[in-house]
Amino acid sequence: MVGNISVGVSRAALAGLGLLALQAAAMPALAQKGLDEPFQAAFKDALAGKVVAFVPVAMNFDLAQGWYAGVKRELEPFGIKMEVRDPNWSTNAGAQAVTTLLSEKPAVMIIHNPDVQTYAKLLQRAENEGIYVIQINMGSAYRTTAFVGANWIEIGERDTDAVVQACQGKSNKIAIVQGALSAAASAYTLKGVENVLAKHPEIKVVSSQAADWDAAKAKAITQTVLKQNPDLCGIVGFWDGMDIGTAAAVKEAGLTGKVFVATSGGGEQRGACDQVKSGGFDLDLSYDVPTQAADMAGMIKWLLSSGMKPGSTKASMYTTLIPITKANAGTDGTCWSLARMTQ
């Protein structure tokens, strides 16, 4: 019995060794010649020499600078040329820039809309003429091939939830500092605020005014509100670049830490994490500009290599929000800096 088992094992081992020998004999032949990847050449050809034009509302603030740096870093190595048309906060100049691009015909336009109407027909025309259009963060009434950005209703809800919680046991008086009334970001965020307030009739809104994305206006509005309502317990702001003014007014009134300030933004170090660490903001919901830039770049690579007709699909890529509070504001990687993005 023992002998038979031993013979059986030996035969199996010999068979295995024979197979290994055959494989070893074949390996040198395979190692001498690699396989050509059949798809990368077509991908590179689809991107090389293409032009991607970026039309922000302006280039002089963190969001636009971060988006441009991130997209440029991802696309230029593939031979794509990046161009910027800076309207510098002028809606008319922005419309003119988009109109000019229609005749120049870049492969892709990245558009940061100042409002929901001004560019809508121009963007539709662009896609009809074969230009891919990606809208970033603030969309128009016309939905293009792709939208990458924050879910503003969610931001409004989460910021307001935090303010409501902070006001428990206090005056229940809050203020709302809106952006530009005609901008999608402001209108949708306000809807999120309203959704939460509808569930909390005990909360009294003593002021809801538009600061038009301007920090000086936000500061002036907040100063007036605090003089009239020194027992204010919370403020819902719509953008941290603007709410630096809101926080400054709260600090000047000696109410930092007593008035809960909630806002949102792109998560840039100085405008977000540093402000939270200093006590200027209690909550800053970040939509993380580097991730948005990577999403746009990935979408552009896919569109250009797919051969898909512009406007034939309407894709949305909503950003995962990062709540920045005292708990994580000092943690490396919570926020970003332009210097690191351009290295």
Side-chain angles (χ1 to χ4, degrees):
M1 179 71 70
V2 174
N4 288 340
I5 291 173
S6 176
V7 170
V9 172
S10 298
R11 288 174 179 171
L14 287 171
L17 288 170
L19 180 60
L20 288 172
L22 288 172
Q23 290 175 338
M27 282 179 68
L30 288 174
Q32 289 170 7
K33 188 173 183 179
L35 285 173
D36 188 20
E37 205 271 75
F39 306 110
Q40 55 89 22
F43 173 82
K44 288 182 178 179
D45 289 344
L47 273 60
K50 297 297 191 299
V51 173
V52 173
F54 177 37
V55 184
V57 295
M59 275 300 292
N60 64 348
F61 67 112
D62 58 356
L63 301 181
Q65 292 167 0
W67 289 327
Y68 179 70
V71 172
K72 182 178 180 180
R73 183 174 63 186
E74 283 288 321
L75 296 185
E76 282 195 341
F78 292 95
I80 288 177
K81 181 183 178 183
M82 292 291 301
E83 294 184 358
V84 178
R85 305 297 166 88
D86 182 6
N88 194 27
W89 300 101
S90 168
T91 300
N92 289 336
Q96 183 58 51
V98 175
T99 302
T100 301
L101 287 170
L102 289 174
S103 62
E104 295 179 5
K105 295 210 169 8
V108 182
M109 292 196 301
I110 300 173
I111 304 294
H112 188 212
N113 293 277
D115 57 55
V116 296
Q117 291 295 341
T118 301
Y119 299 169
K121 290 183 179 178
L122 292 172
L123 302 187
Q124 185 173 12
R125 180 180 157 194
E127 295 206 316
N128 288 340
E129 294 183 12
I131 302 170
Y132 294 112
V133 178
I134 295 177
Q135 299 183 65
I136 174 65
N137 249 8
M138 296 204 292
S140 74
Y142 174 71
R143 198 58 134 190
T144 55
T145 297
F147 170 83
V148 174
N151 184 331
W152 298 109
I153 291 179
E154 180 187 0
I155 285 176
E157 291 174 341
R158 290 176 64 170
D159 272 344
T160 308
D161 268 329
V163 168
V164 168
Q165 292 301 314
C167 283
Q168 286 185 354
K170 299 181 181 179
S171 68
N172 283 331
K173 292 181 181 180
I174 73 168
I176 301 167
V177 182
Q178 303 179 42
L181 294 178
S182 58
S186 192
Y188 298 153
T189 301
L190 184 60
K191 177 59 178 173
V193 173
E194 292 170 348
N195 289 346
V196 173
L197 293 180
K199 302 174 185 177
H200 292 277
E202 75 279 10
I203 298 295
K204 181 181 179 182
V205 178
V206 298
S207 172
S208 182
Q209 300 179 61
D212 299 320
W213 311 125
D214 187 323
K217 288 184 181 180
K219 182 178 180 180
I221 288 170
T222 307
Q223 285 173 328
T224 301
V225 171
L226 290 173
K227 285 178 182 177
Q228 296 171 346
N229 302 273
D231 59 343
L232 194 78
C233 61
I235 300 173
V236 180
F238 283 17
W239 176 45
D240 58 15
M242 171 184 71
D243 289 316
I244 289 174
T246 304
V250 172
K251 182 178 180 179
E252 287 179 6
L255 294 172
T256 298
K258 297 178 181 179
V259 178
F260 189 97
V261 179
T263 187
S264 61
E268 192 268 337
Q269 181 68 40
R270 292 171 299 174
C273 284
D274 289 355
Q275 284 291 321
V276 172
K277 285 191 291 185
S278 71
F281 302 146
D282 296 281
L283 170 64
D284 191 338
L285 288 174
S286 167
Y287 29 86
D288 193 27
V289 159
T291 295
Q292 289 184 323
D295 287 345
M296 285 192 287
M299 183 68 72
I300 289 167
K301 291 176 186 177
W302 183 81
L303 288 170
L304 291 176
S305 62
S306 72
M308 180 176 289
K309 181 180 178 182
S312 61
T313 186
K314 310 290 182 184
S316 296
M317 195 173 293
Y318 287 100
T319 314
T320 302
L321 300 176
I322 302 170
I324 301 174
T325 65
K326 283 275 180 71
N328 64 349
T331 303
D332 188 45
T334 300
C335 288
W336 59 275
S337 70
L338 190 61
R340 280 186 285 180
M341 289 190 69
T342 55
Q343 284 177 350

